Amino acid sequence: MTRAGALSFRAGPGALQAIKKHGFSPEMVGTMAGASGGAKWLVLSKLDRVVADSVIPGLRGPVHLIGSSIGAWRFACYAQDRPLDAIARFEDAYLEQTYSDDPDRDEITAKSREILDYVLGESGAAEILAHPVLRMNVMTVRSRRLTASERPAMLVPGLLAAATLNAVSRRSLGAFFERVLFYDARDLPPFFNAKGFPMSRVELSEANLQDAVIATGAIPMVLSGVRDIAGAPRGVYRDGGVIDYHLDLPQSAPERLTLYLHFIDRIVPGWFDKKLSWRKPDPANVDRTLLVSPSHEFVARLPYGKIPDRRDFISFTPEERVRAWHTVVEMCDELADEFREVLEQDRLAARLEPL
């Protein structure tokens, strides 16, 4: 039996009011957002299946997908013709990824390419760009100055300077990184003219979609940046989470809602803000956002009392990591069951808390 409270449901004021007044239906959704987080996505894989099976068929288009890092990878599954199959491929490849005893950046980057090739198959990019309802958008950054180098002697000081200045002013990140939005040109998204940082906009195509998805997951010092993406300004492209870790940008059109499956029940604006408790998103950006996340009680019951993360590659042996990750995914059936029940029995309004 599903335990009550495995999920947390939070909403911005506009979304809270709309759902309390009208209830919730997929037709209300205009945007779906997906955060950076690497292995944390495994706690959402079963929820992703509920979205693919029970939400996407009821959407009224266009619905904009906006993801950075692993969020964009998840949405590359959503927008294929058979999203459940794509999610299963992604989950399988992610769970079973293996490396040498001391993998370098080239090995990790090559493995990422291999996984994405498997997830997309021969026709995935074309299917994404032709989806009748969903519009794929990928947020990356283009590196500037020292952060454009792959040499640790230059990249590390650049990242340290960015982190230091960010603690004073988030806008200082614009001196080190430029937002670059890869977008589906069939319909412009509500975040197309997002303010606060320099931003270039590049139309997604079959020629650049895969590079854009790889780039938005290219964590500095862990994976190589992607250089000179087709159709984009020349340069080195990296993890979109550097600026848009949890997507502090205008997520929703005024009359629609944003559905945001998330690892935690709060939004951290940028990658360098993780330890800055005072750094909050602009309330206007999340006014119509519905945030669905595992509850603290559920997370405490997971192996080692936590959601999977990138540190597991170092903290555990490969066998321990794979075993723990498989257990997490199996336990997340509980999240999927509860999410499905809340939607089907129209209980969302009663479960909502303020975001």
Side-chain angles (χ1 to χ4, degrees):
M1 172 180 276
T2 301
R3 301 190 194 191
L7 284 172
S8 167
F9 297 90
R10 298 184 182 274
L16 189 68
Q17 181 180 24
I19 295 170
K20 292 284 189 183
K21 183 175 181 180
H22 303 291
F24 174 81
S25 70
E27 292 185 353
M28 302 168 74
V29 175
T31 302
M32 287 194 273
S36 300
K40 295 182 182 72
W41 94 273
L42 291 171
V43 81
L44 302 180
S45 68
K46 294 297 179 70
L47 293 175
D48 283 339
R49 288 169 166 86
V50 178
V51 171
D53 191 45
S54 301
V55 176
I56 290 177
L59 295 175
R60 175 173 57 86
V63 172
H64 303 284
L65 307 175
I66 176 61
S68 62
S69 193
I70 207 71
W73 285 65
R74 291 169 51 223
F75 292 154
C77 298
Y78 277 29
Q80 292 186 52
D81 289 350
R82 299 170 64 89
L84 289 171
D85 290 348
I87 293 167
R89 289 195 301 274
F90 186 27
E91 179 184 277
D92 178 64
Y94 204 94
L95 286 170
E96 300 300 332
Q97 60 184 303
T98 57
Y99 299 91
S100 65
D101 291 341
D102 188 21
D104 60 14
R105 187 170 52 205
D106 291 339
E107 180 180 350
I108 297 171
T109 302
K111 176 60 70 172
S112 293
R113 291 272 184 186
E114 178 185 318
I115 292 174
L116 188 58
D117 283 342
Y118 178 58
V119 172
L120 291 177
E122 293 184 0
S123 61
E127 292 171 11
I128 290 166
L129 295 171
H131 197 282
V133 174
L134 300 178
R135 304 291 184 261
M136 181 80 168
N137 298 275
V138 180
M139 190 64 82
T140 69
V141 295
R142 186 165 66 114
S143 298
R144 292 176 161 179
R145 301 181 175 87
L146 293 178
T147 66
S149 176
E150 296 291 2
R151 294 172 53 199
M154 298 181 69
L155 179 55
V156 171
L159 295 173
L160 288 174
T164 300
L165 291 174
N166 173 75
V168 178
S169 171
R170 179 162 147 74
R171 290 200 175 195
S172 67
L173 290 176
F176 301 90
F177 303 97
E178 176 191 21
R179 267 178 174 159
V180 182
L181 174 68
F182 290 84
Y183 68 99
D184 186 326
R186 290 177 293 174
D187 294 280
L188 299 185
F191 38 84
F192 189 77
N193 291 312
K195 306 299 183 184
F197 297 93
M199 184 164 75
S200 293
R201 300 154 188 85
V202 180
E203 184 175 341
L204 270 176
S205 67
E206 289 189 49
N208 64 25
L209 186 145
Q210 188 160 349
D211 276 346
V213 174
I214 289 291
T216 194
I219 304 168
M221 296 297 298
V222 179
L223 283 84
S224 301
V226 181
R227 185 174 294 276
D228 299 341
I229 297 177
R234 293 178 62 84
V236 176
Y237 291 77
R238 302 191 189 276
D239 193 331
V242 170
I243 290 178
D244 293 296
Y245 190 53
H246 293 170
L247 302 165
D248 181 19
L249 41 74
Q251 294 179 1
S252 180
E255 72 282 2
R256 309 291 288 277
L257 300 181
T258 294
L259 176 61
Y260 195 157
L261 303 187
H262 198 16
F263 328 110
I264 57 176
D265 58 5
R266 60 191 176 89
I267 291 175
V268 178
W271 191 41
F272 295 112
D273 298 328
K274 289 183 282 186
K275 295 183 179 180
L276 306 183
S277 59
W278 65 88
R279 190 64 54 80
K280 308 289 185 183
D282 183 339
N285 288 342
V286 295
D287 178 65
R288 297 187 65 81
T289 296
L290 167 63
L291 194 77
V292 182
S293 62
S295 68
H296 298 287
E297 181 273 340
F298 177 82
V299 173
R301 292 191 275 113
L302 295 176
Y304 307 102
K306 70 178 193 68
I307 291 172
D309 60 54
R310 184 163 48 88
R311 291 169 295 183
D312 294 350
F313 286 101
I314 299 170
S315 302
F316 305 127
T317 67
E319 294 76 18
E320 289 171 337
R321 174 182 57 79
V322 171
R323 183 165 58 248
W325 285 8
H326 273 282
T327 301
V328 168
V329 170
E330 291 167 6
M331 291 180 66
C332 287
D333 279 330
E334 182 177 337
L335 300 181
D337 290 344
E338 184 171 325
F339 191 35
R340 190 175 286 108
E341 288 175 9
V342 167
L343 294 178
E344 291 177 352
Q345 298 179 22
D346 198 20
R347 295 179 180 174
L348 183 57
R351 294 286 302 272
L352 280 180
E353 301 176 68
L355 174 60

